[in-house]
Amino acid sequence: MRYISTRGQAPILNFEDVLLAGLASDGGLYVPENLPRFTVEEIASWAGLPYHELAFRVMRPFVAGSIADADFKRILEETYAVFAHDAVAPLRQLDGNEWVLELFHGPTLAFKDFALQLLGRLLDHILAKRGERVVIMGATSGDTGSAAIEGCKACDNVDIFIMHPHNRVSEVQRRQMTTILGGNIHNIAIEGNFDDCQEMVKASFADQGFLKGTRLVAVNSINWARIMAQIVYYFHAAIQLGAPARSVAFSVPTGNFGDIFAGYLARNMGLPVSQLVVATNRNDILHRFMSGNRYDKDTLHPTLSPSMDIMVSSNFERLLFDLHGRNGAAVAQLMSDFRSSGKLSVDDGIWHEARRLFDSLAVDDEQTSRTIAEVFAQTGEVLDPHTAIGVRAARECRRSLSTPMVILGTAHPVKFPDAVEKAGIGRELELPAHLSDLFDRPERCTVLANDLATVQAFVSRHGNRGKPL
Ligand SMILES: *Cc1c(COP(=O)(O)O)cnc(C)c1O
């Protein structure tokens, strides 16, 4: 499989190189040159497969030419064996024809494990083959950091540096990162906010001299492999609910448009997806686009669903590329205008085309709390605030009651105890068994000043399994 940039000017890469690449050199994002398309018969024949075997069939075309079948099979089996539920991604019924796809049975209790558990193993496999080592730098406001660290902790060829804003992540989230003590794991608490952390990652990608030739890799959702891994569970859920004979709708709590973009790709690969609901919190740039063709940058509003607190959605460019007939020059122009004006809208016809598949809703904190309470009263299920937003949007935007509606359950409620308490659920949630001693484990973390040179010097001194690069 070959990969091209959404802005049309960067080198074409194979899977191996796309895995190691961050942004394309023209500022765009990598996408497959040709999306595989499965027949109805093929999809029907996958009914009942274990998760890792379905994953092999769905993702095989994307890695073709870079990873041998036998290796890929083994890697997938190992990846999804670490999930705590035998079904890996079980469906739980909420109402007549409404389901939550529980994506929070991985090591860090959020859906990001699906991609990052795989990404770590793929990276290590390819690096071992090449005899290379890399450094990963990432910024996190919570979920991404712990999932990336868990995904890379067993990697022999990767050192990972994750920055979080000092004293500004929840204790559960911090401990999920800082209690992983491997010699290649480096937690940095920055005396600043999340944007400061993210700026330092960006600056480090722009000027890599401090790495002395070691390659720097990105693990945020611009990395193609993360999107790829997320396509699988759309197939998994839909097939269980009767696809390909029957269509299925999905509602997806969205920030960077990564997870829902995977659903869009699943549909283009032949899965009968009749509707995709974009569910945002008050940071609603995607809802403003879907409802009124206005993708305009706003200020950041902190909410009960922090993993969706974004100002712009980095993966939206991948959708724009398709909507514009995969014309890289047109996308480059749109993005350059957006950079200078903070505003973007598309031609009417193009917007109507998007609206054939996508609906959207922005859900504020009060409605989020009410939905958690409502679902608890109806079913006894406790939702996390992100999933609750998905449920609210599904219920408001649903086009057909006879089509199964699947809400992506993106996190375990125990990660967001304050939101659950605010909803008036007077029940203490327990950490799952593998995290039950989280509060007793020793932590390791370095607090650093909000200063680029200080951070880069730290990476340079510790980037080779704790030793200097
Ligand atoms: C990251 C995250 C999201 C948003 O995912 P995107 O791919 O950025 O749309 C939603 N919910 C939770 C719990 C997350 O961690």
Side-chain angles (χ1 to χ4, degrees):
M1 174 70 74
R2 307 197 323 157
Y3 292 85
I4 58 174
S5 164
T6 51
R7 300 194 192 172
Q9 295 294 317
I12 294 177
L13 302 182
N14 62 20
F15 177 76
E16 199 170 314
D17 288 319
V18 116
L19 183 69
L20 297 170
L23 278 181
S25 58
D26 58 4
L29 304 180
Y30 276 103
V31 288
E33 186 173 43
N34 295 298
L35 209 59
R37 201 175 162 90
F38 303 116
T39 64
V40 169
E41 293 74 29
E42 269 175 297
I43 297 172
S45 75
W46 297 342
L49 286 180
Y51 192 89
H52 63 95
E53 288 191 24
L54 177 67
F56 174 72
R57 285 163 177 81
V58 172
M59 290 192 276
R60 185 184 187 205
F62 294 118
V63 306
S66 291
I67 302 181
D69 279 357
D71 291 331
F72 195 41
K73 272 189 184 157
R74 176 183 46 77
I75 289 169
L76 289 169
E77 195 169 349
E78 286 169 13
T79 298
Y80 295 106
V82 303
F83 282 64
H85 197 294
D86 284 346
V88 182
L91 279 167
R92 189 182 288 270
Q93 190 159 14
L94 285 190
D95 206 338
N97 208 4
E98 186 187 65
W99 311 76
V100 170
L101 180 63
E102 295 186 349
L103 300 175
F104 47 74
H105 296 285
T108 72
L109 313 180
F111 81 94
K112 291 184 172 75
D113 289 326
F114 277 81
L116 285 163
Q117 284 293 317
L118 178 61
L119 186 79
R121 288 174 173 82
L122 288 175
L123 266 180
D124 217 35
H125 174 75
I126 281 174
L127 292 169
K129 206 170 72 179
R130 292 185 172 203
E132 272 180 46
R133 300 184 53 81
V134 299
V135 163
I136 288 174
M137 282 177 79
T140 190
S141 52
D143 289 345
T144 306
S146 56
I149 287 171
E150 276 286 347
C152 293
K153 70 180 182 187
C155 294
D156 293 328
N157 306 300
V158 176
D159 272 79
I160 179 165
F161 294 82
I162 296 291
M163 287 182 262
H164 69 265
H166 189 35
N167 290 333
R168 297 196 201 192
V169 299
S170 77
E171 187 171 5
V172 172
Q173 287 180 320
R174 186 191 74 235
R175 286 180 167 273
Q176 282 188 307
M177 299 191 278
T178 57
T179 58
I180 312 283
L181 301 177
N184 63 332
I185 307 293
H186 315 276
N187 277 288
I188 305 175
I190 295 290
E191 292 174 321
N193 60 30
F194 171 66
D195 285 327
D196 296 327
C197 300
Q198 200 159 33
E199 279 311 311
M200 287 200 268
V201 173
K202 274 192 200 154
S204 300
F205 272 92
D207 179 6
Q208 303 188 9
F210 69 103
L211 293 167
K212 310 200 170 100
T214 304
R215 194 200 282 256
L216 187 59
V217 169
V219 290
N220 54 9
S221 62
I222 62 168
N223 191 307
W224 161 255
R226 283 190 58 181
I227 307 282
M228 172 184 85
Q230 292 166 190
I231 297 170
V232 177
Y233 48 68
Y234 286 89
F235 277 89
H236 180 73
I239 290 172
Q240 286 186 70
L241 293 172
R246 221 171 156 207
S247 295
V248 178
F250 288 91
S251 174
V252 187
T254 309
N256 271 320
F257 205 71
D259 208 4
I260 193 163
F261 185 70
Y264 161 85
L265 293 177
R267 174 176 169 276
N268 290 352
M269 290 163 71
L271 193 69
V273 175
S274 59
Q275 182 190 13
L276 285 171
V277 180
V278 173
T280 77
N281 62 24
R282 198 183 153 200
N283 298 288
D284 61 349
I285 187 166
L286 288 166
H287 170 61
R288 279 178 281 130
F289 176 78
M290 291 301 172
S291 58
N293 193 5
R294 280 207 309 274
Y295 186 85
D296 298 350
K297 198 167 164 176
D298 191 5
T299 50
L300 191 73
H301 306 287
T303 71
L304 285 177
S305 43
S307 302
M308 294 164 24
D309 288 350
I310 48 88
M311 287 192 291
V312 299
S313 293
S314 43
N315 281 291
F316 185 60
E317 180 168 342
R318 288 184 158 122
L319 180 69
L320 283 176
F321 183 60
D322 276 9
L323 289 175
H324 289 82
R326 310 202 109 204
N327 177 343
V331 172
Q333 187 62 52
L334 274 174
M335 296 315 293
S336 137
D337 293 349
F338 178 67
R339 201 166 40 247
S340 49
S341 69
K343 294 181 194 308
L344 185 159
S345 54
V346 300
D347 289 348
D348 251 15
I350 288 176
W351 180 76
H352 282 290
E353 181 59 33
R355 285 305 313 274
R356 284 172 47 172
L357 179 64
F358 291 100
D359 290 289
S360 68
L361 188 71
V363 179
D364 65 19
D365 278 354
E366 203 214 309
Q367 290 172 293
T368 306
S369 290
R370 258 197 283 134
T371 306
I372 296 174
E374 175 185 310
V375 170
F376 182 65
Q378 285 169 344
T379 66
E381 289 296 316
V382 180
L383 301 181
D384 100 285
H386 306 80
T387 308
I389 287 173
V391 169
R392 181 83 269 132
R395 291 183 176 179
E396 311 266 327
C397 298
R398 190 149 180 192
R399 290 182 191 171
S400 153
L401 286 176
S402 61
T403 303
M405 170 59 85
V406 178
I407 296 107
L408 266 49
T410 51
H412 193 294
V414 77
K415 288 191 96 163
F416 301 96
D418 295 351
V420 171
E421 197 184 325
K422 257 206 180 109
I425 294 173
R427 162 134 75 80
E428 276 282 312
L429 297 173
E430 272 181 33
L431 284 164
H434 74 278
L435 289 173
S436 59
D437 64 342
L438 185 67
F439 286 88
D440 305 323
R441 294 180 193 169
E443 292 186 78
R444 198 180 68 212
C445 181
T446 306
V447 181
L448 291 182
N450 179 12
D451 174 60
L452 184 62
T454 305
V455 168
Q456 293 187 339
F458 183 84
V459 174
S460 187
R461 271 204 312 280
H462 301 279
N464 186 7
R465 298 227 139 222
K467 297 202 267 310
L469 286 171

